Amino acid sequence: ELELICKDGHKVLTEYNVSVIKGEEGGPEYIISIGRDIRERRRSEGALRESEEQFRRFAVASSYGFGMGDLSGQLIYSNAAIVRIVEEESEESFNSKTFYQFYTPRDAERLRQEILPIVLETGQWMGEIPLLSARGNLVATEQNIFLIRDEKGTPRMVGNIITDITDRKQAEAQRLSLERQVQYAQKLESLGVLAGGIAHDFNNILMAILGNADLAMDGLSSHS
């Protein structure tokens, strides 16, 4: 690499290949020099380094799980959040496996036959699908699976941003249970099984609980 000074005084970073052409007697006769302007490449490399650093800071600090794997399913990268979600011992232990190992056999087959073909065709899939932790526990998650291409546009890897929605699912289940209790109390009242006043008080209590459940759900949604 050489820095050339142009006629107007500005500098140009270049990459040079210099070769010696020998004459008939074997001695050097010509020098051929081929150069190219590499300023744009340097700018691109700097932008790439900055992007990689920003990604690294995001992955390390994020509460979202993040992992990357090659197209065969072998895991390549993980952050601390995803290791915690799947209850692995370390990032090294997580990366030694394939991502199919963190799904039930049924969901792993769905991943192969349904989800990954969508990712390869459209570039992304988003939805709810449980993970199977290293300890055998099912973890409710939302996943954003997306395709990663190289500079030529060739598919190279698959990335996955994972949100643990266990608390949200538990709150939804609790709210559904309370709604059923309200409906049951209303049905009893309509059949005359409960006195009107008793049923009314019971409904008021359940509706108050439902209101608190709604507030909790809103809090979970805003947090995630």
Side-chain angles (χ1 to χ4, degrees):
E1 293 183 7
L2 296 173
E3 193 173 61
L4 299 184
I5 301 177
C6 298
K7 184 176 181 180
D8 61 4
H10 80 273
K11 297 178 180 179
V12 178
L13 184 62
T14 61
E15 184 178 70
Y16 265 85
N17 187 331
V18 181
S19 302
V20 175
I21 304 299
K22 295 182 180 181
E24 295 181 357
E25 298 181 359
E29 188 170 348
Y30 300 102
I31 294 177
I32 295 179
S33 179
I34 301 174
R36 61 174 177 172
D37 186 340
I38 60 171
R39 287 175 296 177
E40 185 59 36
R41 190 180 80 185
R42 280 288 180 266
R43 283 192 290 267
S44 298
E45 289 172 350
L48 178 60
R49 283 194 298 271
E50 177 61 24
S51 297
E52 290 174 345
E53 178 59 22
Q54 290 177 352
F55 162 75
R56 187 192 67 80
R57 291 196 297 266
F58 159 77
V60 169
S62 178
S63 60
Y64 295 97
F66 184 80
M68 290 192 301
D70 62 26
L71 298 183
S72 71
Q74 179 60 51
L75 289 161
I76 298 171
Y77 174 84
S78 60
N79 68 351
I82 195 172
V83 172
R84 182 177 64 255
I85 291 171
V86 299
E87 300 180 309
E88 268 291 353
E89 295 180 356
S90 65
E91 293 178 21
E92 291 75 15
S93 176
F94 179 87
N95 294 337
S96 68
K97 300 179 179 179
T98 69
F99 48 67
Y100 295 114
Q101 292 176 258
F102 293 98
Y103 296 87
T104 64
R106 180 178 179 179
D107 286 331
E109 189 63 18
R110 181 189 173 199
L111 196 65
R112 289 188 183 93
Q113 301 298 328
E114 177 187 337
I115 296 175
L116 287 182
I118 292 175
V119 173
L120 290 171
E121 180 180 354
T122 68
Q124 187 179 38
W125 177 90
M126 296 178 64
E128 293 185 13
I129 185 170
L131 287 177
L132 181 64
S133 80
R135 299 178 183 176
N137 299 315
L138 281 178
V139 183
T141 65
E142 280 183 348
Q143 299 186 25
N144 182 346
I145 303 174
F146 55 94
L147 191 63
I148 300 173
R149 302 176 183 271
D150 62 17
E151 64 277 3
K152 296 180 181 179
T154 304
R156 291 300 183 192
M157 293 183 289
V158 174
N160 195 354
I161 299 175
I162 297 172
T163 306
D164 185 345
I165 58 172
T166 301
D167 291 342
R168 187 196 309 172
K169 285 296 185 182
Q170 290 174 348
E172 288 175 354
Q174 182 182 25
R175 191 185 194 288
L176 181 60
S177 175
L178 291 171
E179 286 179 346
R180 288 172 177 169
Q181 292 180 52
V182 169
Q183 293 168 359
Y184 182 64
Q186 291 171 343
K187 184 175 182 180
L188 290 178
E189 181 183 10
S190 68
L191 294 174
V193 177
L194 288 178
I198 296 175
H200 179 73
D201 291 342
F202 185 62
N203 281 338
N204 285 343
I205 293 171
L206 290 178
M207 292 304 292
I209 295 174
L210 277 174
N212 290 331
D214 286 337
L215 289 175
M217 287 290 294
D218 291 340
L220 287 172
S221 299
S222 62
H223 178 70
S224 59

